[in-house]
Amino acid sequence: MTAQARTNAAPLVRARRLVVKVGSALLVGGGSGRVNRAWLETLVEDLLRLRKRGQQLILVSSGAIALGRRRLGLRPGTLRLEESQAAAAVGQIRLAHAYKELLEEHGVTVAQVLLTLEDSERRRRYLNARATLDELLTRGALPVINENDTVATAEIRYGDNDRLAARVAQMVGADCLVLLSDVDGLYSADPNKDPRARIVPEVRHITPEIEAMAGRSASQVGSGGMSAKILAAKIAVAAGCHMCIAAGHHRHPLRRLEEGAECTWFVPSATPLAARKQWIAGTLRPAGAITIDVGALRALLEGKSLLPAGVTGARGRFERGDTVSVLTAEGVEVARGIIAYSDTDAARIMGRQSSEIEQLLGFRGRDEMIHRDDLVLLRDVTPAAEAARAPREALVP
Ligand code: GLU
């Protein structure tokens, strides 16, 4: 492997959490309406190798509609919404079955997750989906995600799995998203018309010029297209995630990338965690505020989570998943974070031990009021920090 090749695929090799999106055209053999099994086996081998290296993987796979339409006797060409939804219902079961068969043979547990746009746009659903995916990954399962086509109406559809995959990457804090499709990257011009057209190897800023290139590039099969991929790239890089557009139709598509195949990388300027924290800190109007005691402040300064025990008050109306301000007893805002409880639930569990939550609320929520990954200390915490660092006795009046 050349040094160039190694640098090229570095985000893929180094990623801790990776999302790989597979387009319909790759999965479903040319007009046959069947899974392209020979190819899929090589992808599965690649995925297994990544998992063996300790990388956590999520697959976003299209193909449900393409697999179901023939079976239902639907004509070629554009389908009406209800036709594609019916095709998806028939195809999704086949799609999931293909992954299950191939992966479970190697001892990998496959989990099917069907998402709609609302699941990523509505905060509570977003948090639930995120928690479920986290749990699956922690337990070593391989989530295979698709849009829930049978229930998604025209207005609430993603419509393309490129953006769905980017939302998933953002949701799980992935470091790398690979879009495998029938194009091998973003071209500087339409390669069918301009012999000088080249693949752009790296994009650091999605400028109007880059968007114009996407508009000009040759059209592709599938609902995605290059413009959808650029929209996906915007979501991914804003979430601190590297994104790659690469050809997927060759055998072993991921190995090929690592061996230096040409592709386009979109490079973020921050890590996923930093990007998330910037977003939290930048919330214009926190929904409410909670007040904490000195012990909790000390814990926050040490990088720990905020537990209900250290909370002394809650103000404003907020829901689980809203961003709230964290105040000292003096009312100084020291942090902001995404709260795991609504205002009423927060008021009921504040000052109590996490082990009491279930008994107090009737359900087993998170141990933390605000998890450390969802919490950002604001820059100017110096006076409050000094007070908290002082020996305990000095703080007690
Ligand atoms: N969800 C659709 C399917 O599984 C595919 C959407 C896309 O082509 O991106 O058939």
Side-chain angles (χ1 to χ4, degrees), residues 4-57:
Q4 171 64 29
R6 263 198 305 275
T7 339
N8 242 352
L12 168 63
V13 179
R14 275 201 233 116
R16 195 180 50 89
R17 242 178 210 190
L18 234 127
V19 179
V20 177
K21 182 252 169 178
V22 181
S24 305
L26 309 175
L27 248 159
V28 184
S32 70
R34 294 224 173 78
V35 174
N36 185 353
R37 222 185 139 97
W39 172 83
L40 190 57
E41 274 168 14
T42 72
L43 174 70
V44 162
E45 278 170 31
D46 286 3
L47 298 176
L48 291 169
R49 202 166 42 83
L50 264 52
R51 280 174 56 101
K52 264 202 201 104
R53 284 202 304 234
Q55 297 180 281
Q56 288 185 331
L57 266 181

Short mmCIF file of all heavy atoms in Angstrom, two decimals, residues 4-57:
data_model
loop_
_atom_site.label_atom_id
_atom_site.label_comp_id
_atom_site.label_asym_id
_atom_site.label_seq_id
_atom_site.Cartn_x
_atom_site.Cartn_y
_atom_site.Cartn_z
N GLN A 4 0.23 7.37 -0.06
CA GLN A 4 -0.93 8.14 -0.52
C GLN A 4 -2.23 7.39 -0.21
O GLN A 4 -3.18 7.96 0.34
CB GLN A 4 -0.79 8.39 -2.03
CG GLN A 4 -2.01 8.98 -2.71
CD GLN A 4 -2.36 10.37 -2.18
OE1 GLN A 4 -1.47 11.10 -1.76
NE2 GLN A 4 -3.63 10.71 -2.18
N ALA A 5 -2.20 6.08 -0.51
CA ALA A 5 -3.40 5.27 -0.30
C ALA A 5 -3.75 5.24 1.18
O ALA A 5 -4.91 5.33 1.54
CB ALA A 5 -3.16 3.86 -0.82
N ARG A 6 -2.69 5.12 1.99
CA ARG A 6 -2.95 5.04 3.42
C ARG A 6 -3.60 6.33 3.93
O ARG A 6 -4.54 6.31 4.67
CB ARG A 6 -1.65 4.77 4.19
CG ARG A 6 -1.48 3.30 4.49
CD ARG A 6 -0.45 3.11 5.58
NE ARG A 6 0.80 3.74 5.25
CZ ARG A 6 1.74 3.17 4.52
NH1 ARG A 6 1.57 1.98 4.04
NH2 ARG A 6 2.86 3.81 4.27
N THR A 7 -3.07 7.46 3.48
CA THR A 7 -3.62 8.74 3.93
C THR A 7 -5.07 8.85 3.45
O THR A 7 -5.93 9.31 4.18
CB THR A 7 -2.86 9.93 3.31
OG1 THR A 7 -1.59 9.48 2.90
CG2 THR A 7 -2.73 11.07 4.26
N ASN A 8 -5.29 8.44 2.23
CA ASN A 8 -6.62 8.51 1.66
C ASN A 8 -7.69 7.89 2.51
O ASN A 8 -8.75 8.45 2.71
CB ASN A 8 -6.60 7.72 0.34
CG ASN A 8 -6.93 8.63 -0.81
OD1 ASN A 8 -7.30 9.77 -0.60
ND2 ASN A 8 -6.78 8.11 -2.01
N ALA A 9 -7.40 6.68 2.98
CA ALA A 9 -8.43 5.94 3.70
C ALA A 9 -8.30 6.08 5.20
O ALA A 9 -9.01 5.41 5.95
CB ALA A 9 -8.37 4.48 3.29
N ALA A 10 -7.43 6.98 5.65
CA ALA A 10 -7.19 7.10 7.09
C ALA A 10 -8.47 7.26 7.92
O ALA A 10 -8.63 6.57 8.93
CB ALA A 10 -6.20 8.22 7.37
N PRO A 11 -9.41 8.12 7.50
CA PRO A 11 -10.62 8.27 8.34
C PRO A 11 -11.40 6.96 8.47
O PRO A 11 -12.02 6.70 9.50
CB PRO A 11 -11.46 9.31 7.58
CG PRO A 11 -10.50 10.01 6.68
CD PRO A 11 -9.43 9.02 6.34
N LEU A 12 -11.34 6.15 7.45
CA LEU A 12 -12.04 4.86 7.48
C LEU A 12 -11.33 3.88 8.42
O LEU A 12 -11.96 3.19 9.22
CB LEU A 12 -12.10 4.28 6.06
CG LEU A 12 -12.53 2.84 5.85
CD1 LEU A 12 -13.95 2.63 6.33
CD2 LEU A 12 -12.43 2.45 4.38
N VAL A 13 -10.00 3.86 8.33
CA VAL A 13 -9.24 2.93 9.15
C VAL A 13 -9.28 3.32 10.61
O VAL A 13 -9.34 2.47 11.49
CB VAL A 13 -7.77 2.87 8.64
CG1 VAL A 13 -6.94 1.91 9.47
CG2 VAL A 13 -7.74 2.48 7.17
N ARG A 14 -9.27 4.64 10.86
CA ARG A 14 -9.17 5.10 12.24
C ARG A 14 -10.51 5.20 12.96
O ARG A 14 -10.55 5.31 14.18
CB ARG A 14 -8.53 6.50 12.26
CG ARG A 14 -7.03 6.41 12.26
CD ARG A 14 -6.43 7.70 12.78
NE ARG A 14 -5.48 8.21 11.82
CZ ARG A 14 -5.60 9.35 11.18
NH1 ARG A 14 -6.62 10.14 11.41
NH2 ARG A 14 -4.69 9.71 10.32
N ALA A 15 -11.61 5.21 12.21
CA ALA A 15 -12.92 5.49 12.84
C ALA A 15 -13.22 4.49 13.94
O ALA A 15 -12.95 3.30 13.83
CB ALA A 15 -14.01 5.45 11.78
N ARG A 16 -13.81 5.02 15.00
CA ARG A 16 -14.23 4.18 16.10
C ARG A 16 -15.64 3.67 15.78
O ARG A 16 -15.95 2.52 15.90
CB ARG A 16 -14.27 5.07 17.35
CG ARG A 16 -14.34 4.40 18.69
CD ARG A 16 -14.36 5.48 19.77
NE ARG A 16 -15.37 6.49 19.46
CZ ARG A 16 -16.64 6.41 19.85
NH1 ARG A 16 -17.05 5.42 20.59
NH2 ARG A 16 -17.51 7.37 19.54
N ARG A 17 -16.46 4.59 15.30
CA ARG A 17 -17.83 4.27 14.91
C ARG A 17 -18.05 4.66 13.46
O ARG A 17 -17.81 5.81 13.10
CB ARG A 17 -18.79 5.09 15.75
CG ARG A 17 -19.65 4.24 16.57
CD ARG A 17 -20.57 5.00 17.44
NE ARG A 17 -20.79 4.18 18.62
CZ ARG A 17 -21.68 4.42 19.53
NH1 ARG A 17 -22.44 5.49 19.46
NH2 ARG A 17 -21.82 3.61 20.56
N LEU A 18 -18.53 3.70 12.68
CA LEU A 18 -18.63 3.90 11.24
C LEU A 18 -20.02 3.59 10.72
O LEU A 18 -20.63 2.60 11.11
CB LEU A 18 -17.73 2.84 10.65
CG LEU A 18 -16.66 3.23 9.70
CD1 LEU A 18 -15.37 2.64 10.21
CD2 LEU A 18 -16.93 2.66 8.35
N VAL A 19 -20.51 4.42 9.82
CA VAL A 19 -21.78 4.12 9.16
C VAL A 19 -21.47 3.87 7.69
O VAL A 19 -20.78 4.66 7.06
CB VAL A 19 -22.78 5.29 9.31
CG1 VAL A 19 -24.09 4.97 8.58
CG2 VAL A 19 -23.05 5.59 10.78
N VAL A 20 -21.95 2.75 7.18
CA VAL A 20 -21.76 2.44 5.76
C VAL A 20 -23.13 2.39 5.11
O VAL A 20 -24.02 1.68 5.57
CB VAL A 20 -21.04 1.09 5.57
CG1 VAL A 20 -20.90 0.75 4.09
CG2 VAL A 20 -19.67 1.10 6.24
N LYS A 21 -23.31 3.19 4.05
CA LYS A 21 -24.59 3.20 3.34
C LYS A 21 -24.45 2.47 2.01
O LYS A 21 -23.51 2.72 1.24
CB LYS A 21 -25.05 4.64 3.12
CG LYS A 21 -26.40 4.73 2.45
CD LYS A 21 -26.27 5.21 1.03
CE LYS A 21 -27.56 5.05 0.25
NZ LYS A 21 -27.46 5.55 -1.12
N VAL A 22 -25.36 1.56 1.77
CA VAL A 22 -25.33 0.76 0.56
C VAL A 22 -26.53 1.13 -0.31
O VAL A 22 -27.67 1.07 0.13
CB VAL A 22 -25.41 -0.74 0.93
CG1 VAL A 22 -25.35 -1.60 -0.31
CG2 VAL A 22 -24.30 -1.11 1.88
N GLY A 23 -26.27 1.51 -1.54
CA GLY A 23 -27.34 1.93 -2.45
C GLY A 23 -28.05 0.74 -3.09
O GLY A 23 -27.49 -0.35 -3.21
N SER A 24 -29.30 0.98 -3.53
CA SER A 24 -30.11 -0.09 -4.13
C SER A 24 -29.45 -0.72 -5.35
O SER A 24 -29.49 -1.94 -5.54
CB SER A 24 -31.46 0.45 -4.61
OG SER A 24 -32.14 1.09 -3.60
N ALA A 25 -28.84 0.12 -6.18
CA ALA A 25 -28.28 -0.37 -7.44
C ALA A 25 -27.18 -1.42 -7.21
O ALA A 25 -26.92 -2.26 -8.07
CB ALA A 25 -27.73 0.80 -8.24
N LEU A 26 -26.55 -1.36 -6.03
CA LEU A 26 -25.48 -2.32 -5.74
C LEU A 26 -26.06 -3.64 -5.26
O LEU A 26 -25.58 -4.72 -5.60
CB LEU A 26 -24.57 -1.78 -4.64
CG LEU A 26 -24.04 -0.36 -4.84
CD1 LEU A 26 -23.25 0.07 -3.63
CD2 LEU A 26 -23.16 -0.33 -6.09
N LEU A 27 -27.09 -3.51 -4.46
CA LEU A 27 -27.63 -4.68 -3.78
C LEU A 27 -28.49 -5.57 -4.64
O LEU A 27 -28.57 -6.77 -4.45
CB LEU A 27 -28.51 -4.18 -2.65
CG LEU A 27 -27.94 -4.47 -1.30
CD1 LEU A 27 -28.53 -3.55 -0.29
CD2 LEU A 27 -28.22 -5.92 -0.93
N VAL A 28 -29.17 -4.91 -5.57
CA VAL A 28 -30.14 -5.66 -6.35
C VAL A 28 -29.60 -5.81 -7.77
O VAL A 28 -29.38 -4.82 -8.46
CB VAL A 28 -31.51 -4.94 -6.33
CG1 VAL A 28 -32.55 -5.76 -7.06
CG2 VAL A 28 -31.93 -4.68 -4.90
N GLY A 29 -29.36 -7.07 -8.13
CA GLY A 29 -28.74 -7.36 -9.43
C GLY A 29 -29.58 -6.87 -10.60
O GLY A 29 -30.79 -7.11 -10.62
N GLY A 30 -28.94 -6.19 -11.53
CA GLY A 30 -29.54 -5.54 -12.71
C GLY A 30 -30.90 -6.08 -13.15
O GLY A 30 -30.97 -7.02 -13.96
N GLY A 31 -31.96 -5.51 -12.67
CA GLY A 31 -33.31 -5.82 -13.12
C GLY A 31 -33.84 -7.18 -12.64
O GLY A 31 -34.98 -7.52 -12.90
N SER A 32 -33.01 -7.95 -11.93
CA SER A 32 -33.44 -9.29 -11.54
C SER A 32 -34.43 -9.26 -10.37
O SER A 32 -35.20 -10.18 -10.16
CB SER A 32 -32.23 -10.12 -11.11
OG SER A 32 -31.74 -9.63 -9.87
N GLY A 33 -34.37 -8.15 -9.61
CA GLY A 33 -35.23 -8.07 -8.44
C GLY A 33 -34.75 -8.97 -7.31
O GLY A 33 -35.43 -9.18 -6.33
N ARG A 34 -33.53 -9.50 -7.47
CA ARG A 34 -32.98 -10.38 -6.42
C ARG A 34 -31.73 -9.76 -5.82
O ARG A 34 -31.06 -8.95 -6.46
CB ARG A 34 -32.57 -11.72 -7.04
CG ARG A 34 -33.73 -12.48 -7.56
CD ARG A 34 -33.62 -13.96 -7.17
NE ARG A 34 -34.86 -14.62 -7.56
CZ ARG A 34 -35.11 -14.98 -8.83
NH1 ARG A 34 -34.21 -14.79 -9.77
NH2 ARG A 34 -36.25 -15.56 -9.13
N VAL A 35 -31.41 -10.20 -4.59
CA VAL A 35 -30.19 -9.72 -3.94
C VAL A 35 -28.96 -10.20 -4.71
O VAL A 35 -28.87 -11.38 -5.07
CB VAL A 35 -30.13 -10.24 -2.49
CG1 VAL A 35 -28.81 -9.87 -1.83
CG2 VAL A 35 -31.29 -9.70 -1.67
N ASN A 36 -28.06 -9.27 -4.95
CA ASN A 36 -26.81 -9.60 -5.61
C ASN A 36 -25.88 -10.24 -4.58
O ASN A 36 -25.02 -9.60 -3.98
CB ASN A 36 -26.22 -8.29 -6.16
CG ASN A 36 -24.98 -8.51 -6.96
OD1 ASN A 36 -24.45 -9.62 -7.03
ND2 ASN A 36 -24.50 -7.44 -7.57
N ARG A 37 -26.08 -11.53 -4.40
CA ARG A 37 -25.48 -12.23 -3.27
C ARG A 37 -23.96 -12.33 -3.36
O ARG A 37 -23.25 -12.15 -2.36
CB ARG A 37 -26.07 -13.64 -3.20
CG ARG A 37 -26.37 -14.03 -1.79
CD ARG A 37 -26.85 -15.45 -1.75
NE ARG A 37 -26.24 -16.08 -0.60
CZ ARG A 37 -26.88 -16.20 0.56
NH1 ARG A 37 -28.10 -15.80 0.70
NH2 ARG A 37 -26.27 -16.78 1.58
N ALA A 38 -23.47 -12.57 -4.56
CA ALA A 38 -22.02 -12.73 -4.72
C ALA A 38 -21.31 -11.44 -4.28
O ALA A 38 -20.29 -11.49 -3.57
CB ALA A 38 -21.69 -13.04 -6.18
N TRP A 39 -21.88 -10.32 -4.65
CA TRP A 39 -21.27 -9.04 -4.27
C TRP A 39 -21.43 -8.79 -2.77
O TRP A 39 -20.50 -8.38 -2.08
CB TRP A 39 -21.93 -7.90 -5.07
CG TRP A 39 -21.51 -6.56 -4.59
CD1 TRP A 39 -20.37 -5.89 -4.94
CD2 TRP A 39 -22.17 -5.74 -3.62
NE1 TRP A 39 -20.29 -4.71 -4.26
CE2 TRP A 39 -21.38 -4.58 -3.44
CE3 TRP A 39 -23.35 -5.87 -2.89
CZ2 TRP A 39 -21.74 -3.56 -2.56
CZ3 TRP A 39 -23.70 -4.85 -2.01
CH2 TRP A 39 -22.91 -3.72 -1.86
N LEU A 40 -22.65 -9.08 -2.28
CA LEU A 40 -22.94 -8.83 -0.87
C LEU A 40 -22.00 -9.63 0.04
O LEU A 40 -21.56 -9.16 1.09
CB LEU A 40 -24.41 -9.15 -0.56
CG LEU A 40 -24.91 -8.71 0.81
CD1 LEU A 40 -24.71 -7.21 1.02
CD2 LEU A 40 -26.38 -9.06 1.00
N GLU A 41 -21.66 -10.84 -0.40
CA GLU A 41 -20.73 -11.64 0.40
C GLU A 41 -19.39 -10.93 0.57
O GLU A 41 -18.78 -10.97 1.62
CB GLU A 41 -20.51 -13.01 -0.26
CG GLU A 41 -21.58 -14.00 0.16
CD GLU A 41 -21.60 -15.27 -0.67
OE1 GLU A 41 -20.63 -15.52 -1.42
OE2 GLU A 41 -22.62 -16.00 -0.59
N THR A 42 -18.94 -10.25 -0.49
CA THR A 42 -17.64 -9.57 -0.38
C THR A 42 -17.75 -8.35 0.53
O THR A 42 -16.83 -8.03 1.26
CB THR A 42 -17.08 -9.14 -1.77
OG1 THR A 42 -17.85 -8.05 -2.28
CG2 THR A 42 -17.08 -10.29 -2.75
N LEU A 43 -18.91 -7.68 0.49
CA LEU A 43 -19.09 -6.55 1.40
C LEU A 43 -19.10 -7.06 2.84
O LEU A 43 -18.47 -6.47 3.73
CB LEU A 43 -20.40 -5.81 1.09
CG LEU A 43 -20.75 -4.70 2.09
CD1 LEU A 43 -19.80 -3.51 1.97
CD2 LEU A 43 -22.19 -4.22 1.94
N VAL A 44 -19.81 -8.15 3.06
CA VAL A 44 -19.90 -8.72 4.41
C VAL A 44 -18.49 -9.09 4.92
O VAL A 44 -18.14 -8.81 6.06
CB VAL A 44 -20.87 -9.92 4.43
CG1 VAL A 44 -20.67 -10.79 5.65
CG2 VAL A 44 -22.31 -9.43 4.36
N GLU A 45 -17.67 -9.64 4.06
CA GLU A 45 -16.29 -9.96 4.47
C GLU A 45 -15.55 -8.69 4.90
O GLU A 45 -14.83 -8.69 5.90
CB GLU A 45 -15.53 -10.63 3.32
CG GLU A 45 -15.83 -12.12 3.23
CD GLU A 45 -15.28 -12.75 1.96
OE1 GLU A 45 -14.23 -12.27 1.46
OE2 GLU A 45 -15.91 -13.70 1.44
N ASP A 46 -15.75 -7.62 4.14
CA ASP A 46 -15.12 -6.34 4.51
C ASP A 46 -15.61 -5.87 5.88
O ASP A 46 -14.83 -5.41 6.71
CB ASP A 46 -15.45 -5.25 3.48
CG ASP A 46 -14.69 -5.44 2.17
OD1 ASP A 46 -13.95 -6.43 2.05
OD2 ASP A 46 -14.85 -4.58 1.27
N LEU A 47 -16.92 -5.98 6.07
CA LEU A 47 -17.50 -5.51 7.32
C LEU A 47 -16.96 -6.32 8.50
O LEU A 47 -16.64 -5.77 9.56
CB LEU A 47 -19.02 -5.61 7.29
CG LEU A 47 -19.74 -4.77 6.22
CD1 LEU A 47 -21.24 -5.05 6.23
CD2 LEU A 47 -19.51 -3.28 6.44
N LEU A 48 -16.83 -7.61 8.29
CA LEU A 48 -16.33 -8.48 9.37
C LEU A 48 -14.90 -8.09 9.74
O LEU A 48 -14.52 -8.08 10.90
CB LEU A 48 -16.37 -9.95 8.93
CG LEU A 48 -17.78 -10.55 8.79
CD1 LEU A 48 -17.72 -11.89 8.11
CD2 LEU A 48 -18.46 -10.67 10.16
N ARG A 49 -14.13 -7.73 8.73
CA ARG A 49 -12.73 -7.34 8.99
C ARG A 49 -12.69 -6.06 9.83
O ARG A 49 -11.91 -5.94 10.76
CB ARG A 49 -12.01 -7.13 7.66
CG ARG A 49 -10.51 -7.24 7.73
CD ARG A 49 -9.88 -7.36 6.35
NE ARG A 49 -10.52 -6.45 5.41
CZ ARG A 49 -10.20 -5.17 5.28
NH1 ARG A 49 -9.25 -4.65 6.02
NH2 ARG A 49 -10.82 -4.41 4.42
N LEU A 50 -13.55 -5.11 9.51
CA LEU A 50 -13.60 -3.87 10.27
C LEU A 50 -14.01 -4.15 11.72
O LEU A 50 -13.45 -3.59 12.65
CB LEU A 50 -14.61 -2.91 9.64
CG LEU A 50 -14.09 -1.86 8.66
CD1 LEU A 50 -13.24 -2.44 7.56
CD2 LEU A 50 -15.23 -1.04 8.07
N ARG A 51 -14.98 -5.02 11.88
CA ARG A 51 -15.41 -5.36 13.24
C ARG A 51 -14.30 -6.04 14.01
O ARG A 51 -14.11 -5.80 15.19
CB ARG A 51 -16.66 -6.25 13.20
CG ARG A 51 -17.94 -5.46 12.98
CD ARG A 51 -19.10 -6.37 12.81
NE ARG A 51 -19.27 -7.27 13.94
CZ ARG A 51 -20.18 -7.10 14.91
NH1 ARG A 51 -20.98 -6.08 14.88
NH2 ARG A 51 -20.28 -7.97 15.89
N LYS A 52 -13.54 -6.89 13.32
CA LYS A 52 -12.43 -7.57 14.00
C LYS A 52 -11.37 -6.59 14.48
O LYS A 52 -10.70 -6.81 15.46
CB LYS A 52 -11.77 -8.58 13.03
CG LYS A 52 -12.31 -9.94 13.24
CD LYS A 52 -11.42 -11.06 12.77
CE LYS A 52 -12.30 -12.28 12.58
NZ LYS A 52 -12.58 -12.57 11.17
N ARG A 53 -11.26 -5.47 13.74
CA ARG A 53 -10.31 -4.43 14.15
C ARG A 53 -10.86 -3.64 15.33
O ARG A 53 -10.24 -2.69 15.79
CB ARG A 53 -10.10 -3.44 13.00
CG ARG A 53 -9.23 -3.93 11.90
CD ARG A 53 -8.62 -2.80 11.10
NE ARG A 53 -9.57 -1.87 10.52
CZ ARG A 53 -9.61 -1.56 9.22
NH1 ARG A 53 -8.75 -2.12 8.39
NH2 ARG A 53 -10.46 -0.69 8.76
N GLY A 54 -12.07 -3.96 15.77
CA GLY A 54 -12.65 -3.28 16.93
C GLY A 54 -13.49 -2.08 16.55
O GLY A 54 -13.87 -1.29 17.41
N GLN A 55 -13.82 -1.92 15.27
CA GLN A 55 -14.62 -0.77 14.86
C GLN A 55 -16.11 -1.09 15.01
O GLN A 55 -16.53 -2.20 14.67
CB GLN A 55 -14.27 -0.39 13.42
CG GLN A 55 -12.82 0.04 13.29
CD GLN A 55 -12.46 0.44 11.86
OE1 GLN A 55 -12.23 -0.42 11.03
NE2 GLN A 55 -12.38 1.73 11.61
N GLN A 56 -16.87 -0.13 15.51
CA GLN A 56 -18.32 -0.33 15.64
C GLN A 56 -18.98 0.09 14.33
O GLN A 56 -18.68 1.14 13.78
CB GLN A 56 -18.87 0.53 16.77
CG GLN A 56 -18.48 0.01 18.14
CD GLN A 56 -19.14 0.81 19.24
OE1 GLN A 56 -19.44 1.99 19.09
NE2 GLN A 56 -19.36 0.16 20.37
N LEU A 57 -19.89 -0.76 13.88
CA LEU A 57 -20.45 -0.57 12.54
C LEU A 57 -21.97 -0.46 12.53
O LEU A 57 -22.65 -1.18 13.25
CB LEU A 57 -20.15 -1.81 11.72
CG LEU A 57 -18.91 -1.81 10.86
CD1 LEU A 57 -18.85 -3.14 10.13
CD2 LEU A 57 -18.96 -0.68 9.85
#
